[in-house]
Amino acid sequence: MLRVEIGAALRRIRMSKRLTLRQVSALANVSLGYLSELERGQKEASSELLNSICNALAIDLHVLLYDVAHALEATKSVTTLTTLHRATAHTDIAA
Amino acid sequence: MLRVEIGAALRRIRMSKRLTLRQVSALANVSLGYLSELERGQKEASSELLNSICNALAIDLHVLLYDVAHALEATKSVTTLTTLHRATAHTDIAA
């Protein structure tokens, strides 16, 4: 789910820059509660709000998107491997 | 603006697969008018709707995001080069 991955990426980047929710919410002009809900993937961010938050985090929007795309791709790879592993395990039992 | 770049990417991918708005709107269970507005960046797509459209286009969400991130990065590079070029031109005149 995109909003969950975007929220997780925003949190990762904020923590890596040692910024608090309070600092980013003040810089991005968004309420602390709303920012927290965004980070937990409970709200969709508008394009305007994502721009504000990226400015507050001092990153370009494309950096956020590469991060999200990479996380989604990694999740998919793990899911595929798990499925393959289960399929193989099943074959072993059947054999 | 994210929604404009997402819309443009959805359109690029749809055209590259030689699918019509009508086909994708039927597959993704979204009205043709709404899909057209999304492609023109006039509406924000929810995470659920983006999933449906990616399924209709037979692509993974991360593929769409890499495309969007790449387009945003390219736009930024062009803007930076243009700014540099203008700054240099200005210096030449001043010299």
Side-chain angles (χ1 to χ4, degrees), chain A residues 37-51:
Chain A
E37 286 188 301
L38 282 176
E39 285 194 356
R40 284 176 282 136
Q42 294 172 351
K43 285 276 189 300
E44 300 273 357
S46 69
S47 296
E48 285 80 2
L49 184 50
L50 266 187
N51 276 353

Side-chain angles (χ1 to χ4, degrees), chain A residues 1-4 6 44-48 50-51 60-63 65-66 68-73 76, chain B residues 1-4 6 44-48 50-51 60-63 65-66 68-73 76:
Chain A
M1 189 61 69
L2 182 58
R3 67 172 160 271
V4 174
I6 286 181
E44 300 273 357
S46 69
S47 296
E48 285 80 2
L50 266 187
N51 276 353
D60 284 321
L61 181 56
H62 70 260
V63 172
L65 293 184
Y66 277 128
V68 172
H70 191 72
L72 278 166
E73 188 178 14
K76 188 178 164 65
Chain B
M1 189 61 68
L2 182 59
R3 67 172 162 272
V4 174
I6 287 181
E44 299 272 356
S46 69
S47 296
E48 285 79 3
L50 267 187
N51 276 352
D60 284 323
L61 182 56
H62 70 260
V63 173
L65 293 183
Y66 278 127
V68 171
H70 192 70
L72 279 166
E73 189 178 14
K76 189 180 164 63

Side-chain angles (χ1 to χ4, degrees), chain A residues 15-33:
Chain A
M15 307 276 274
S16 77
K17 296 190 169 230
R18 299 178 184 279
L19 290 165
T20 63
L21 272 174
R22 191 170 299 278
Q23 288 171 313
V24 175
S25 73
L27 285 166
N29 203 22
V30 56
S31 79
L32 193 150

